[in-house]
Amino acid sequence: MLNAGIGLTGVALGLGGSLAGAVSAAVGARTGRVRQLRWAAGYAIIVGLGAIVAVVAMERALITRDFSLRYIAQVGSSRTPALFNVAAMWSALEGSILLWALILAGYLVAVVYRFRRRLTDPLVGWALVTLFAICAFFFGLMAGPVNPFRLIAGPKTLDGPGPNPLLQNHVLMAFHPPMLYLGYVGFSVPFAFAIGALVTGRVDDGWLVITRRWTLFAWGFLTVGIMLGAWWSYEVLGWGGFWAWDPVENASFLPWLTATAYIHSILIQQRRGMLRVWNLSLLCATFSLTILGTFLTRSGVLNSVHAFSKTNIGPAILGFFALTVVVSIGLIAWRGDRLRSAGGVDAVASREGAFLANNALFALFAAVVLLGTVFPLVLEAVTGQRVSVGRPYFDRMAIPLGMSLLTLMAIAPVLPWRKASTGSLRDRLLGPAVSAAGVAVVAVALGARGFVPAVAFALAGAGGGAAVRQLAQNVRRQRWRGVLGSSGGGMVVHIGVVIIAVAITASGSYSRRAQFDMRPGQTVAFAGHTFVFESVEFLTSRSRNEKRAAVRVDGAEVLSPSLVQFNGSSQTVGTPAISSSISEDVYLTVLDLPGDTASARIGVLIMPMAGWLWMGGGVIGVGTILSAVPRRRRREELPADQASADRIEATVDVESSERVGVS
């Protein structure tokens, strides 16, 4: 009862603070009352405090095994190890909404602190209204249909089953969801300022500049979250892959696509004053897709290892999604006269032209993924007919789109703004072309076969060559500061993407798989490796029972794939064993292990360059941080006279690019 009371108090504080803050900020922004706007900052603190109180109460209930709470009875267990017991908070629906609210409240408080000297600015005021409204929706869910502190009716449960076995079989589940949510929720901040800019009519570049880092970090968190999810899938599910085009995977990929397009597109607006409507639309679409992803994963409309069970909050989330879309479109249409661009693209062979093509491809990619994800749901809702859109559709569409994006990644960084002469264009493209040819030759020499993989390797080489060229040029003229800002950090991100592209191409095209029925002492050879089945070990602990096979690889390392059954669950989970090197992964699974240990069926998978995936993700994370650091100190404040503010210069990166001669 104590945990429930504390938790509900926190939810009430969060909901009350959100509603009061939205009203106070709206009145202040509408009437210019400074006191109302300053009150909003206090209400943000109340929202943050409420979220912290609710989360502390939930974690306390998990740690003390308070099975009087229905949620703890569903996901808690006295046998669950401490780390997974803490992470159990976000292992089911109610706790995931609570984590979402905590992160959202944190962003709200961070915005109030960051703009504490500009709280009287109407743009900031309307952005706070938007953030408070989003907070009110999620706290309202917890006060209603997804109350995480609901008590069990009847006798108290003595113990619970613990989290889903798949969610307590790897340490990444303690980090993957929070990182993903930091990305999802982070897009609320630039979206809120976009709404503020539309409401106030200040649709110049000011709101872009002040939200640049918020957007970059949200994108970076989402990227790393997706990569951690792929790593978890690879090391836990035992199928040997990292991306299956699962609808819930797609739900996180969709806002990533539109956000990536937005990050590239705003450079055009900042440099040339173009694409204002398009950029606002991309940002609103990104936020809307995070809400759609919430609907897909938490409404119960999907059957997926990643999704939650069927719930009754689907209509509420879908309604909020519809409201977000309608308000965004309505505001953009209302301000259409102020969003017109004075200029246009001077030449196709220019950086603007390449970025426009980039945006078109990302938008098409998002449309393809959205269609394949949502079409089966819509068809079933309308006709009752169930269809499945599987991996062949997504692979068939994604491969040409991905190669086209790699091509633009090689071309865009070396192109000048406005237009390029034929001679200049030839000189600029020579470096990427040489890199492409060199990588293709090396790949073929190392055994690469097939037209599509060879082309993919060549395009990756061209993209990497273009990024290295740009970085070298920056460093030559500005020394270590050349790796900072959108120009330097962005090229580091491109290098990370190239590494991932090479890993996906190699592992997808040249992996080899086999199954062997083996007896103790038996040796088999496969793909240049030898495997000796040595023994079977039975391990029992308080939380699980495990049958582990010992397989010696190449006469040296012993790998131990296993079958695990957690106490409180009848589900058996296969846990692969992986030996990684720079060139390949040896991936072993136990497919069948009889109790008498007379034989075992062992799955063997050789994955070339699989480890490069995680290395590429790390490089992207570093590049994101470098992109957020300016090349020189500058003020990133709003103009003092907001009503007649002159157009703010794009960013210091554009200024720097002019100095180093790339524009």
Side-chain angles (χ1 to χ4, degrees):
M1 293 292 291
L2 176 61
N3 292 318
I6 295 174
L8 289 174
T9 299
V11 172
L13 281 174
L15 179 58
S18 299
L19 294 173
V23 172
S24 179
V27 170
R30 182 72 178 85
T31 64
R33 296 177 183 174
V34 175
R35 180 179 298 180
Q36 297 286 344
L37 288 168
R38 295 196 182 281
W39 282 355
Y43 290 126
I45 301 300
I46 292 175
V47 173
L49 179 62
I52 292 173
V53 168
V55 168
V56 169
M58 178 58 70
E59 291 293 358
R60 183 179 185 276
L62 283 165
I63 293 171
T64 60
R65 272 73 176 187
D66 184 359
F67 296 111
S68 65
L69 295 183
R70 191 173 72 173
Y71 187 74
I72 306 302
Q74 291 174 349
V75 304
S77 172
S78 61
R79 300 177 297 271
T80 304
L83 176 64
F84 296 106
N85 189 49
V86 171
M89 189 190 83
W90 50 80
S91 66
L93 174 66
E94 292 87 347
S96 72
I97 298 294
L98 181 55
L99 177 63
W100 190 293
L102 174 68
I103 294 174
L104 183 58
Y107 275 116
L108 173 64
V109 173
V111 167
V112 167
Y113 177 78
R114 172 64 181 83
F115 298 102
R116 60 193 180 280
R117 295 186 180 90
R118 294 283 184 173
L119 290 176
T120 57
D121 186 326
L123 174 59
V124 176
W126 285 111
L128 289 177
V129 171
T130 306
L131 287 172
F132 276 121
I134 299 170
C135 286
F137 172 73
F138 282 96
F139 278 103
L141 288 178
M142 291 190 292
V146 288
N147 177 9
F149 300 100
R150 186 174 287 118
L151 296 171
I152 288 180
K156 178 180 176 180
T157 304
L158 297 179
D159 205 350
N164 184 312
L166 290 172
L167 305 182
Q168 54 176 317
N169 202 30
H170 200 287
V171 70
L172 282 176
M173 284 315 298
F175 304 100
H176 159 55
M179 193 68 67
L180 202 63
Y181 285 19
L182 282 167
Y184 260 143
V185 183
F187 289 115
S188 302
V189 176
F191 170 76
F193 276 92
I195 295 298
L198 287 167
V199 171
T200 58
R202 286 165 30 201
V203 291
D204 55 19
D205 295 349
W207 71 274
L208 283 177
V209 173
I210 63 176
T211 60
R212 174 178 172 269
R213 287 191 182 90
W214 300 88
T215 305
L216 282 174
F217 281 122
W219 181 87
F221 282 130
L222 182 59
T223 303
V224 174
I226 291 173
M227 292 301 300
L228 290 179
W231 198 356
W232 171 83
S233 178
Y234 181 67
E235 294 207 347
V236 170
L237 298 184
W239 62 296
F242 42 82
W243 191 263
W245 297 107
D246 181 280
V248 181
E249 292 175 337
N250 296 346
S252 62
F253 190 45
L254 282 166
W256 184 90
L257 288 169
T258 54
T260 306
Y262 171 74
I263 288 173
H264 287 85
S265 184
I266 58 175
L267 296 176
I268 304 178
Q269 180 175 340
Q270 293 173 334
R271 183 64 175 82
R272 299 290 310 278
M274 299 163 48
L275 302 181
R276 291 179 177 177
V277 172
W278 177 245
N279 288 334
L280 283 165
S281 300
L282 279 177
L283 186 52
C284 293
T286 299
F287 177 76
S288 299
L289 286 170
T290 65
I291 303 301
L292 180 63
T294 308
F295 168 76
L296 292 175
T297 56
R298 290 160 181 82
S299 64
V301 299
L302 295 176
N303 292 319
S304 165
V305 66
H306 304 84
F308 297 111
S309 58
K310 193 169 184 63
T311 67
N312 60 351
I313 67 168
I317 298 178
L318 198 59
F320 187 65
F321 166 75
L323 177 64
T324 301
V325 172
V326 169
V327 169
S328 300
I329 293 175
L331 287 174
I332 292 173
W334 179 40
R335 295 299 188 185
D337 57 331
R338 299 193 182 191
L339 292 170
R340 293 192 182 95
S341 300
V345 177
D346 296 330
V348 174
S350 64
R351 193 169 299 188
E352 301 98 304
F355 280 178
L356 282 174
N358 165 286
N359 268 236
L361 287 172
F362 272 116
L364 179 59
F365 207 154
V368 166
V369 176
L370 182 63
L371 178 64
T373 304
V374 175
F375 174 74
L377 303 177
V378 175
L379 184 65
E380 183 178 356
V382 173
T383 67
Q385 179 183 358
R386 287 196 171 189
V387 298
S388 176
V389 177
R391 185 167 184 170
Y393 161 80
F394 290 107
D395 284 348
R396 191 179 303 116
M397 303 300 291
I399 289 174
L401 288 170
M403 288 191 170
S404 299
L405 288 169
L406 280 176
T407 302
L408 287 175
M409 189 184 298
I411 294 174
V414 302
L415 291 177
W417 293 101
R418 296 187 180 276
K419 60 183 177 181
S421 64
T422 303
S424 172
L425 189 62
R426 182 177 60 250
D427 293 340
R428 289 169 179 266
L429 294 178
L430 178 61
V434 171
S435 298
V439 170
V441 169
V442 171
V444 171
L446 292 176
R449 298 294 181 267
F451 175 74
V452 172
V455 171
F457 285 134
L459 292 176
V468 170
R469 173 190 179 275
Q470 182 70 37
L471 274 175
Q473 188 178 54
N474 289 353
V475 171
R476 186 170 62 250
R477 289 179 168 85
Q478 295 188 315
R479 297 184 181 179
W480 63 270
R481 288 188 175 275
V483 300
L484 303 179
S486 60
S487 178
M491 292 304 100
V492 175
V493 170
H494 278 200
I495 292 172
V497 172
V498 166
I499 293 172
I500 291 175
V502 170
I504 291 175
T505 301
S507 61
S509 302
Y510 306 116
S511 62
R512 289 154 290 177
R513 186 188 300 266
Q515 297 179 13
F516 300 100
D517 291 320
M518 303 178 68
R519 294 181 176 275
Q522 183 178 350
T523 301
V524 298
F526 176 70
H529 297 277
T530 59
F531 304 91
V532 180
F533 180 36
E534 294 193 339
S535 63
V536 176
E537 192 177 8
F538 295 88
L539 303 175
T540 301
S541 68
R542 191 164 180 266
S543 61
R544 64 186 195 173
N545 298 311
E546 182 177 1
K547 291 191 283 188
R548 181 184 297 173
V551 180
R552 188 173 296 276
V553 180
D554 297 331
E557 183 179 8
V558 175
L559 298 182
S560 300
S562 63
L563 296 175
V564 180
Q565 185 172 7
F566 288 87
N567 295 328
S569 173
S570 59
Q571 181 180 0
T572 299
V573 178
T575 302
I578 306 169
S579 175
S580 296
S581 68
I582 192 68
S583 59
E584 66 182 13
D585 280 10
V586 177
Y587 188 102
L588 301 185
T589 55
V590 175
L591 304 178
D592 187 25
L593 192 60
D596 59 9
T597 72
S599 65
R601 178 166 295 174
I602 304 296
V604 179
L605 176 63
I606 308 300
M607 293 277 284
M609 303 178 73
W612 287 42
L613 276 165
W614 328 126
M615 180 171 61
V619 172
I620 289 177
V622 171
T624 303
I625 296 173
L626 294 175
S627 296
V629 180
R631 291 189 179 183
R632 62 180 174 84
R633 297 184 66 85
R634 62 187 174 92
R635 289 182 62 82
E636 213 176 59
E637 298 289 348
L638 300 176
D641 181 8
Q642 293 295 343
S644 60
D646 294 330
R647 181 176 179 272
I648 296 178
E649 281 299 319
T651 62
V652 68
D653 301 309
V654 171
E655 297 171 358
S656 301
S657 66
E658 291 174 347
R659 288 195 300 273
V660 299
V662 297
S663 53

